Short mmCIF file of all heavy atoms in Angstrom, two decimals:
data_model
loop_
_atom_site.label_atom_id
_atom_site.label_comp_id
_atom_site.label_asym_id
_atom_site.label_seq_id
_atom_site.Cartn_x
_atom_site.Cartn_y
_atom_site.Cartn_z
N ALA A 1 60.29 79.87 58.25
CA ALA A 1 59.07 80.61 58.55
C ALA A 1 58.50 81.24 57.26
O ALA A 1 57.28 81.40 57.12
CB ALA A 1 59.35 81.69 59.59
N SER A 2 59.38 81.63 56.35
CA SER A 2 58.95 82.28 55.10
C SER A 2 58.10 81.31 54.32
O SER A 2 57.00 81.68 53.85
CB SER A 2 60.15 82.66 54.29
OG SER A 2 59.74 83.01 52.97
N PHE A 3 58.52 80.05 54.18
CA PHE A 3 57.74 79.06 53.47
C PHE A 3 56.42 78.85 54.19
O PHE A 3 55.34 78.84 53.58
CB PHE A 3 58.48 77.72 53.33
CG PHE A 3 57.58 76.58 52.92
CD1 PHE A 3 57.08 76.50 51.62
CD2 PHE A 3 57.17 75.61 53.83
CE1 PHE A 3 56.26 75.48 51.23
CE2 PHE A 3 56.29 74.60 53.47
CZ PHE A 3 55.85 74.52 52.16
N ASP A 4 56.46 78.69 55.51
CA ASP A 4 55.26 78.40 56.30
C ASP A 4 54.20 79.45 56.17
O ASP A 4 53.01 79.24 56.01
CB ASP A 4 55.64 78.08 57.75
CG ASP A 4 54.63 77.16 58.38
OD1 ASP A 4 54.35 76.10 57.70
OD2 ASP A 4 54.15 77.44 59.46
N ALA A 5 54.63 80.71 56.27
CA ALA A 5 53.73 81.85 56.17
C ALA A 5 53.04 81.88 54.82
O ALA A 5 51.82 82.09 54.74
CB ALA A 5 54.46 83.17 56.45
N GLN A 6 53.80 81.63 53.76
CA GLN A 6 53.20 81.63 52.44
C GLN A 6 52.28 80.44 52.20
O GLN A 6 51.26 80.56 51.53
CB GLN A 6 54.32 81.63 51.34
CG GLN A 6 55.16 82.92 51.34
CD GLN A 6 56.14 82.95 50.20
OE1 GLN A 6 55.75 83.18 49.05
NE2 GLN A 6 57.38 82.72 50.49
N ARG A 7 52.68 79.29 52.77
CA ARG A 7 51.85 78.12 52.67
C ARG A 7 50.48 78.35 53.29
O ARG A 7 49.45 78.05 52.73
CB ARG A 7 52.51 76.91 53.32
CG ARG A 7 51.67 75.64 53.32
CD ARG A 7 52.16 74.63 54.31
NE ARG A 7 52.13 75.09 55.67
CZ ARG A 7 51.00 75.23 56.37
NH1 ARG A 7 49.80 75.06 55.85
NH2 ARG A 7 51.07 75.67 57.64
N GLN A 8 50.50 78.97 54.49
CA GLN A 8 49.23 79.24 55.18
C GLN A 8 48.34 80.20 54.34
O GLN A 8 47.13 80.04 54.29
CB GLN A 8 49.49 79.87 56.56
CG GLN A 8 49.95 78.81 57.56
CD GLN A 8 50.25 79.42 58.95
OE1 GLN A 8 49.86 80.52 59.24
NE2 GLN A 8 51.00 78.69 59.74
N ARG A 9 49.02 81.20 53.74
CA ARG A 9 48.25 82.21 52.96
C ARG A 9 47.67 81.60 51.69
O ARG A 9 46.52 81.92 51.32
CB ARG A 9 49.20 83.39 52.65
CG ARG A 9 48.52 84.59 52.05
CD ARG A 9 49.44 85.81 52.06
NE ARG A 9 50.74 85.54 51.51
CZ ARG A 9 51.03 85.47 50.21
NH1 ARG A 9 50.07 85.57 49.35
NH2 ARG A 9 52.29 85.23 49.81
N LEU A 10 48.46 80.73 51.03
CA LEU A 10 48.01 80.23 49.71
C LEU A 10 47.16 78.98 49.84
O LEU A 10 46.42 78.64 48.87
CB LEU A 10 49.25 79.90 48.89
CG LEU A 10 50.04 81.10 48.38
CD1 LEU A 10 51.43 80.66 47.94
CD2 LEU A 10 49.35 81.85 47.26
N SER A 11 47.23 78.24 50.95
CA SER A 11 46.52 76.93 51.05
C SER A 11 45.00 77.26 51.01
O SER A 11 44.50 78.19 51.60
CB SER A 11 46.81 76.28 52.41
OG SER A 11 48.07 75.76 52.38
N GLU A 12 44.32 76.34 50.33
CA GLU A 12 42.87 76.44 50.33
C GLU A 12 42.34 75.98 51.65
O GLU A 12 42.95 75.15 52.32
CB GLU A 12 42.30 75.55 49.20
CG GLU A 12 42.65 76.04 47.82
CD GLU A 12 42.38 75.04 46.75
OE1 GLU A 12 41.94 73.92 47.04
OE2 GLU A 12 42.65 75.41 45.58
N GLY A 13 41.18 76.49 52.02
CA GLY A 13 40.57 76.11 53.30
C GLY A 13 40.10 74.66 53.32
O GLY A 13 40.66 73.85 52.62
N GLY A 14 39.10 74.35 54.07
CA GLY A 14 38.63 73.00 54.15
C GLY A 14 39.21 72.37 55.39
O GLY A 14 39.87 73.00 56.19
N VAL A 15 38.93 71.10 55.57
CA VAL A 15 39.33 70.39 56.78
C VAL A 15 40.84 70.35 56.88
O VAL A 15 41.44 70.63 57.87
CB VAL A 15 38.74 68.93 56.80
CG1 VAL A 15 39.16 68.24 58.10
CG2 VAL A 15 37.25 68.97 56.64
N ARG A 16 41.45 69.99 55.75
CA ARG A 16 42.94 70.01 55.72
C ARG A 16 43.34 71.05 54.71
O ARG A 16 42.86 70.99 53.56
CB ARG A 16 43.46 68.63 55.29
CG ARG A 16 43.62 67.69 56.42
CD ARG A 16 44.30 66.45 55.87
NE ARG A 16 44.60 65.50 56.97
CZ ARG A 16 44.88 64.23 56.78
NH1 ARG A 16 44.86 63.73 55.58
NH2 ARG A 16 45.18 63.44 57.80
N ASP A 17 44.20 71.93 55.11
CA ASP A 17 44.72 72.92 54.09
C ASP A 17 45.50 72.17 53.06
O ASP A 17 46.40 71.45 53.36
CB ASP A 17 45.68 73.93 54.85
CG ASP A 17 44.93 74.73 55.87
OD1 ASP A 17 43.74 74.82 55.75
OD2 ASP A 17 45.59 75.20 56.84
N THR A 18 45.08 72.36 51.79
CA THR A 18 45.84 71.68 50.73
C THR A 18 46.64 72.73 49.92
O THR A 18 46.25 73.89 49.89
CB THR A 18 44.88 70.96 49.74
OG1 THR A 18 44.00 71.94 49.21
CG2 THR A 18 44.08 69.87 50.39
N LEU A 19 47.74 72.25 49.37
CA LEU A 19 48.60 73.15 48.62
C LEU A 19 48.93 72.47 47.26
O LEU A 19 49.67 71.49 47.22
CB LEU A 19 49.91 73.43 49.37
CG LEU A 19 50.86 74.42 48.76
CD1 LEU A 19 50.38 75.84 48.97
CD2 LEU A 19 52.29 74.27 49.32
N SER A 20 48.31 73.04 46.20
CA SER A 20 48.61 72.43 44.86
C SER A 20 49.92 72.92 44.31
O SER A 20 50.55 73.80 44.90
CB SER A 20 47.47 72.91 43.89
OG SER A 20 47.62 74.33 43.71
N PHE A 21 50.35 72.31 43.22
CA PHE A 21 51.65 72.74 42.61
C PHE A 21 51.50 74.18 42.11
O PHE A 21 52.46 74.96 42.23
CB PHE A 21 52.05 71.79 41.46
CG PHE A 21 53.35 72.19 40.82
CD1 PHE A 21 54.55 71.95 41.53
CD2 PHE A 21 53.43 72.81 39.60
CE1 PHE A 21 55.78 72.33 40.98
CE2 PHE A 21 54.66 73.18 39.04
CZ PHE A 21 55.85 72.93 39.76
N ASN A 22 50.35 74.54 41.60
CA ASN A 22 50.17 75.91 41.11
C ASN A 22 50.32 76.90 42.26
O ASN A 22 50.92 78.01 42.05
CB ASN A 22 48.80 76.07 40.46
CG ASN A 22 48.72 75.39 39.13
OD1 ASN A 22 49.76 75.03 38.55
ND2 ASN A 22 47.52 75.13 38.62
N GLN A 23 49.77 76.55 43.42
CA GLN A 23 49.91 77.44 44.56
C GLN A 23 51.36 77.50 44.99
O GLN A 23 51.83 78.61 45.35
CB GLN A 23 49.01 77.01 45.69
CG GLN A 23 47.51 77.21 45.39
CD GLN A 23 46.68 76.41 46.34
OE1 GLN A 23 46.93 75.27 46.65
NE2 GLN A 23 45.60 77.03 46.81
N LEU A 24 52.04 76.38 45.04
CA LEU A 24 53.47 76.35 45.44
C LEU A 24 54.25 77.27 44.50
O LEU A 24 55.13 78.01 44.88
CB LEU A 24 53.97 74.89 45.36
CG LEU A 24 55.48 74.70 45.68
CD1 LEU A 24 55.75 74.97 47.15
CD2 LEU A 24 55.92 73.29 45.27
N SER A 25 53.91 77.14 43.20
CA SER A 25 54.65 77.96 42.16
C SER A 25 54.50 79.45 42.36
O SER A 25 55.36 80.23 41.91
CB SER A 25 54.10 77.60 40.76
OG SER A 25 54.22 76.27 40.53
N GLU A 26 53.44 79.89 43.00
CA GLU A 26 53.23 81.30 43.25
C GLU A 26 54.06 81.83 44.42
O GLU A 26 54.09 83.04 44.66
CB GLU A 26 51.73 81.55 43.55
CG GLU A 26 50.84 81.48 42.35
CD GLU A 26 51.36 82.41 41.21
OE1 GLU A 26 51.53 83.63 41.47
OE2 GLU A 26 51.64 81.92 40.11
N MET A 27 54.72 80.97 45.19
CA MET A 27 55.51 81.42 46.31
C MET A 27 56.76 82.14 45.84
O MET A 27 57.34 81.83 44.81
CB MET A 27 55.92 80.20 47.16
CG MET A 27 54.83 79.61 48.00
SD MET A 27 55.51 78.46 49.18
CE MET A 27 53.99 77.79 49.86
N ASN A 28 57.20 83.13 46.65
CA ASN A 28 58.45 83.83 46.41
C ASN A 28 59.51 83.22 47.29
O ASN A 28 59.28 82.90 48.44
CB ASN A 28 58.29 85.31 46.77
CG ASN A 28 57.32 86.05 45.87
OD1 ASN A 28 57.38 85.89 44.66
ND2 ASN A 28 56.38 86.77 46.49
N THR A 29 60.68 83.07 46.68
CA THR A 29 61.83 82.62 47.51
C THR A 29 63.02 83.52 47.27
O THR A 29 63.19 84.02 46.13
CB THR A 29 62.16 81.16 47.25
OG1 THR A 29 63.24 80.79 48.15
CG2 THR A 29 62.60 80.91 45.84
N MET A 30 63.81 83.70 48.27
CA MET A 30 65.09 84.46 48.15
C MET A 30 66.17 83.41 48.04
O MET A 30 66.18 82.46 48.80
CB MET A 30 65.34 85.29 49.40
CG MET A 30 64.25 86.31 49.74
SD MET A 30 64.34 87.77 48.73
CE MET A 30 65.87 88.51 49.24
N PHE A 31 67.06 83.63 47.07
CA PHE A 31 68.19 82.65 47.04
C PHE A 31 69.50 83.39 46.60
O PHE A 31 69.44 84.35 45.87
CB PHE A 31 67.87 81.47 46.10
CG PHE A 31 67.66 81.84 44.68
CD1 PHE A 31 68.66 81.67 43.73
CD2 PHE A 31 66.43 82.35 44.26
CE1 PHE A 31 68.45 81.99 42.43
CE2 PHE A 31 66.24 82.67 42.93
CZ PHE A 31 67.24 82.52 41.99
N PRO A 32 70.63 82.86 47.14
CA PRO A 32 71.94 83.50 46.82
C PRO A 32 72.54 82.83 45.57
O PRO A 32 71.88 81.98 44.90
CB PRO A 32 72.74 83.18 48.06
CG PRO A 32 72.22 81.84 48.54
CD PRO A 32 70.77 81.77 48.14
N THR A 33 73.83 83.10 45.37
CA THR A 33 74.55 82.43 44.22
C THR A 33 74.63 80.95 44.52
O THR A 33 74.52 80.53 45.69
CB THR A 33 76.00 82.98 44.13
OG1 THR A 33 76.63 82.73 45.37
CG2 THR A 33 75.97 84.48 43.85
N TYR A 34 74.87 80.13 43.46
CA TYR A 34 74.88 78.67 43.62
C TYR A 34 75.87 78.21 44.62
O TYR A 34 75.60 77.37 45.48
CB TYR A 34 75.03 77.99 42.26
CG TYR A 34 74.56 76.56 42.29
CD1 TYR A 34 73.22 76.23 42.09
CD2 TYR A 34 75.43 75.50 42.59
CE1 TYR A 34 72.77 74.95 42.14
CE2 TYR A 34 74.98 74.18 42.67
CZ TYR A 34 73.65 73.94 42.47
OH TYR A 34 73.22 72.64 42.52
N PRO A 35 77.16 78.73 44.60
CA PRO A 35 78.13 78.25 45.61
C PRO A 35 77.68 78.53 47.06
O PRO A 35 77.93 77.68 47.93
CB PRO A 35 79.38 79.10 45.31
CG PRO A 35 79.22 79.48 43.88
CD PRO A 35 77.77 79.66 43.65
N GLU A 36 76.96 79.62 47.30
CA GLU A 36 76.52 79.90 48.67
C GLU A 36 75.35 78.92 49.02
O GLU A 36 75.29 78.42 50.15
CB GLU A 36 76.06 81.37 48.80
CG GLU A 36 75.77 81.74 50.25
CD GLU A 36 75.51 83.22 50.53
OE1 GLU A 36 75.52 84.02 49.57
OE2 GLU A 36 75.23 83.56 51.68
N GLN A 37 74.48 78.68 48.04
CA GLN A 37 73.41 77.69 48.27
C GLN A 37 73.99 76.34 48.68
O GLN A 37 73.51 75.72 49.58
CB GLN A 37 72.57 77.50 46.96
CG GLN A 37 71.69 78.66 46.57
CD GLN A 37 70.94 78.31 45.31
OE1 GLN A 37 70.40 77.18 45.15
NE2 GLN A 37 70.95 79.24 44.34
N GLU A 38 75.05 75.94 47.94
CA GLU A 38 75.66 74.65 48.22
C GLU A 38 76.21 74.59 49.63
O GLU A 38 76.03 73.60 50.31
CB GLU A 38 76.83 74.42 47.24
CG GLU A 38 76.40 73.79 45.93
CD GLU A 38 77.58 73.43 45.08
OE1 GLU A 38 78.54 74.29 44.96
OE2 GLU A 38 77.62 72.35 44.50
N LYS A 39 76.85 75.69 50.07
CA LYS A 39 77.45 75.76 51.41
C LYS A 39 76.31 75.58 52.44
O LYS A 39 76.47 74.85 53.42
CB LYS A 39 78.09 77.12 51.59
CG LYS A 39 79.47 77.24 51.09
CD LYS A 39 80.47 77.13 52.25
CE LYS A 39 81.83 77.51 51.84
NZ LYS A 39 82.90 77.04 52.71
#
């Protein structure tokens, strides 16, 4: 849901919401240590 909420906020309007790499880059993500990510 975190990704989806940010996608909706950052996507440009228009017929189809588009998401450029620059907009994707602006998203915040939470992540743990690498071993926990792997798990």
Side-chain angles (χ1 to χ4, degrees):
S2 167
F3 166 73
D4 208 48
Q6 293 186 75
R7 178 197 59 72
Q8 283 178 19
R9 190 167 49 77
L10 290 163
S11 287
E12 291 167 0
V15 183
R16 274 187 174 162
D17 297 335
T18 58
L19 185 78
S20 67
F21 182 72
N22 288 343
Q23 289 166 318
L24 177 70
S25 303
E26 284 308 303
M27 287 191 186
N28 295 312
T29 183
M30 302 280 294
F31 63 100
T33 59
Y34 200 85
E36 190 174 359
Q37 290 180 46
E38 274 185 316
K39 277 258 192 198

